[in-house]
Amino acid sequence: MASARFFSYVLFFFFIFFISPIFPCHAQNVTLSVYYETLCPYCADFIVNHLVKLFDEGLSSIVNLRLVPWGNSVMQPDGTFLCQHGPGECLLNSVLACTIIIYPDVKWHFSFILCVERLTLQNKSNEWVNCFDMTGLGTVPIDCYKSGYGNVLEKQYAAETAQLNPPHKFVPWVLVNGQPLQEDFKNFVSYVCKAYRGEKVPEACQSIPLMSNSLKKATINNPASLLNADTPYSITLLLIYGIHFWLLSLL
């Protein structure tokens, strides 16, 4: 009897002090990561025709967008890069890496990337320099590239891409809070809205279903998934209190 009561209190305080802190009490932005390569037509289509929706109806206010321009590139033993669409892609990947770090505001660097990818879709990627004038950004990223720092950034992106688990199968490879969307990447808005746990829900999330059929099926087949990092904090505490007092009732 006493040991059972002791166990119930140990379990209760374990959840309170060690488990419950991992559930955020405050609104947190959703991390949307896009692993891509500059001259890939599928990547360009996604960025120009789908990812741009991030800036509609307030969705960008709840998202931390990470663009990683490396994709299927390969770093050779001598430290040089081999890119899927040729040396021009290696150059542009490095320039965009520089643009991202020099203009950290997502609206700034995304506007430049969007311009470059539009040109890619139009088979005018050789006109990418014009995107500086078109977006009003300075040409400092070119200096960054010429200094060799762009290649340093690309090596970091190469290492990050290589560490993806599971490994990327194609590009664009899109993750929401570290979870790959696989072939459903164009439906990223629904996943972002589902992952968001803040109070200020943007308009973009108010008129779409928050769970796809595959997600519903996964939840039904794995009830334990109901209690994870996406579970609202208040519901988690109710579950903890319920378990605690149920154990006490057995004493």
Side-chain angles (χ1 to χ4, degrees):
M1 180 82 69
S3 60
R5 182 181 295 274
F6 174 78
F7 172 75
S8 71
Y9 278 108
V10 169
L11 180 64
F12 176 74
F13 286 108
F14 175 81
F15 272 99
I16 290 297
F17 291 106
F18 294 99
I19 301 298
S20 63
I22 69 173
F23 298 97
C25 299
H26 305 288
Q28 293 185 348
N29 279 11
V30 177
T31 298
L32 176 65
S33 304
V34 180
Y35 295 80
Y36 75 107
E37 52 196 29
T38 312
L39 298 184
C40 163
Y42 301 105
C43 298
D45 174 72
F46 174 67
I47 291 171
V48 173
N49 297 315
H50 301 278
L51 189 58
V52 71
K53 296 176 184 176
L54 184 68
F55 300 91
D56 294 340
E57 301 179 323
L59 189 62
S60 62
S61 66
I62 66 168
V63 171
N64 294 325
L65 177 63
R66 295 190 67 253
L67 292 158
V68 183
W70 177 258
N72 294 323
S73 302
V74 175
M75 188 161 61
Q76 303 188 96
D78 63 357
T80 59
F81 305 148
L82 181 64
C83 297
Q84 187 170 3
H85 300 92
E89 183 171 70
C90 290
L91 183 153
L92 277 174
N93 284 345
S94 295
V95 169
L96 294 188
C98 285
T99 303
I100 291 168
I101 198 168
I102 291 171
Y103 299 105
D105 187 309
V106 67
K107 292 182 180 178
W108 290 357
H109 66 248
F110 183 80
S111 67
F112 184 81
I113 292 171
L114 181 64
C115 178
V116 171
E117 299 304 335
R118 278 179 177 153
L119 291 176
T120 297
L121 288 180
Q122 298 168 4
N123 294 318
K124 298 179 180 179
S125 58
N126 60 329
E127 300 178 12
W128 64 269
V129 175
N130 296 332
C131 287
F132 288 110
D133 288 335
M134 295 171 68
T135 59
L137 298 181
T139 59
V140 180
I142 295 179
D143 299 327
C144 168
Y145 166 75
K146 290 181 178 179
S147 73
Y149 190 60
N151 286 350
V152 173
L153 295 173
E154 279 295 279
K155 288 179 181 179
Q156 294 174 0
Y157 285 149
E160 179 181 339
T161 303
Q163 292 172 2
L164 286 171
N165 186 20
H168 78 284
K169 300 176 182 177
F170 51 80
V171 287
W173 189 249
V174 183
L175 287 73
V176 171
N177 282 350
Q179 299 301 311
L181 304 190
Q182 306 282 352
E183 288 81 3
D184 202 23
F185 62 91
K186 291 182 180 179
N187 193 33
F188 74 93
V189 175
S190 294
Y191 289 90
V192 166
C193 291
K194 174 187 176 291
Y196 181 60
R197 287 293 175 258
E199 297 180 356
K200 297 181 179 179
V201 179
E203 185 178 348
C205 295
Q206 296 177 5
S207 59
I208 61 173
L210 299 188
M211 288 186 83
S212 67
N213 290 333
S214 60
L215 284 173
K216 290 179 180 178
K217 184 177 180 181
T219 301
I220 293 172
N221 291 338
N222 183 20
S225 66
L226 291 172
L227 184 58
N228 54 33
D230 287 340
T231 307
Y233 185 72
S234 57
I235 294 178
T236 302
L237 284 182
L238 285 175
L239 288 171
I240 294 171
Y241 285 129
I243 293 172
H244 171 63
F245 288 111
W246 174 74
L247 286 170
L248 289 179
S249 70
L250 298 178
L251 302 180

